Amino acid sequence: PFYQNISSFPTVIFTFFLGVVLLYWVIAVLGLVDIEILDFDIPDADGMLDMNPDSGLSNPGVLAGLMLRFGLQGVPVTIIVSFISLFGWLISYYASHFLLGLFPHGFMRFPVGAPIFLVSLYLAVMLAALAIRPLRPLFRKAQQETVKHVLGQTAIVRTSRVDASFGEAVLEDGGAGLILKVRAGADETFAKGDRVVLLEYREEENTYRVISEKEFTGE
């Protein structure tokens, strides 16, 4: 019954994501990826969501609004996804185990399983929001230490552009690298691969103001 439940709808959806999450954390422990690999920049409404620097996804405000509404902020996205996958898997598994057994196998599993999936997802999001609440101060303190360490260092632009309202850069730290949200001056624009210097941290926006490396060194 255990293997049947985890490989059947609706629990199989959470089983898949939980498997991906577990694989990610194994790789992260080995130091091959950064814990914030899934974090993305959320620009203004007229910006562009750039999880993949060359993608054309739009309307990031919807995703940002949903995350803020449910209290899913203040920690890396990988942790949020991990909690949702784990809680969703547990709730869906036990709900399927006790409820789906009342119905005959076959077509009825889908109309009955769909509400179980939606309820499990909603409850998982609520529980994830509660679970990450005590973690926020820890990441806020880590962010403060990071700010002291990175100011004045050179980073490489990783998004298709960096301007006054959008952009990310990678700072090599001897490991997987730090992905930072950066902003240029009002009349400046940087392209992917440009070298920029982290000049100032803007706490209210959680971004770094950058200038070109050449300007910083006076070349």
Side-chain angles (χ1 to χ4, degrees), residues 6 10-25 38 72 76-94 116-117 119-129 131-132:
I6 66 174
T11 310
V12 66
I13 300 176
F14 291 107
T15 300
F16 170 77
F17 284 103
L18 186 60
V20 172
V21 165
L22 290 175
L23 178 62
Y24 159 78
W25 284 111
L38 293 182
L72 300 176
V77 175
T78 48
I79 293 181
I80 296 173
V81 173
S82 298
F83 276 128
I84 293 177
S85 300
L86 176 60
F87 292 138
W89 184 85
L90 290 171
I91 297 171
S92 179
Y93 173 83
Y94 285 105
I116 292 179
F117 170 75
V119 172
S120 299
L121 179 60
Y122 177 79
L123 293 177
V125 170
M126 295 295 99
L127 290 174
I132 67 176

Side-chain angles (χ1 to χ4, degrees), residues 139-153 171 178 180-181 198-209:
F139 284 94
R140 190 176 299 115
K141 182 178 180 179
Q143 175 66 34
Q144 294 171 352
E145 294 298 324
T146 299
V147 170
K148 297 177 182 179
H149 171 68
V150 304
L151 288 181
Q153 297 198 42
L171 175 67
L178 298 175
L180 307 172
K181 299 178 182 180
L198 304 167
L199 195 63
E200 175 190 4
Y201 177 66
R202 299 171 175 173
E203 183 176 0
E204 66 280 2
E205 302 174 359
N206 189 28
T207 61
Y208 292 85
R209 185 169 70 88

Side-chain angles (χ1 to χ4, degrees), residues 29-122:
V29 168
L30 297 176
L32 300 179
V33 296
D34 189 83
I35 191 174
E36 297 184 352
I37 190 174
L38 293 182
D39 282 8
F40 51 87
D41 192 13
I42 302 177
D44 296 331
D46 59 349
M48 178 176 63
L49 180 60
D50 222 350
M51 290 181 65
N52 180 341
D54 298 318
S55 68
L57 297 178
S58 58
N59 200 19
V62 175
L63 180 58
L66 287 174
M67 294 182 67
L68 291 173
R69 179 178 180 180
F70 290 108
L72 300 176
Q73 79 279 354
V75 302
V77 175
T78 48
I79 293 181
I80 296 173
V81 173
S82 298
F83 276 128
I84 293 177
S85 300
L86 176 60
F87 292 138
W89 184 85
L90 290 171
I91 297 171
S92 179
Y93 173 83
Y94 285 105
S96 299
H97 180 74
F98 290 108
L99 296 179
L100 289 182
L102 302 176
F103 298 89
H105 293 285
F107 176 76
M108 284 299 297
R109 189 174 190 91
F110 291 94
V112 176
I116 292 179
F117 170 75
L118 294 176
V119 172
S120 299
L121 179 60
Y122 177 79

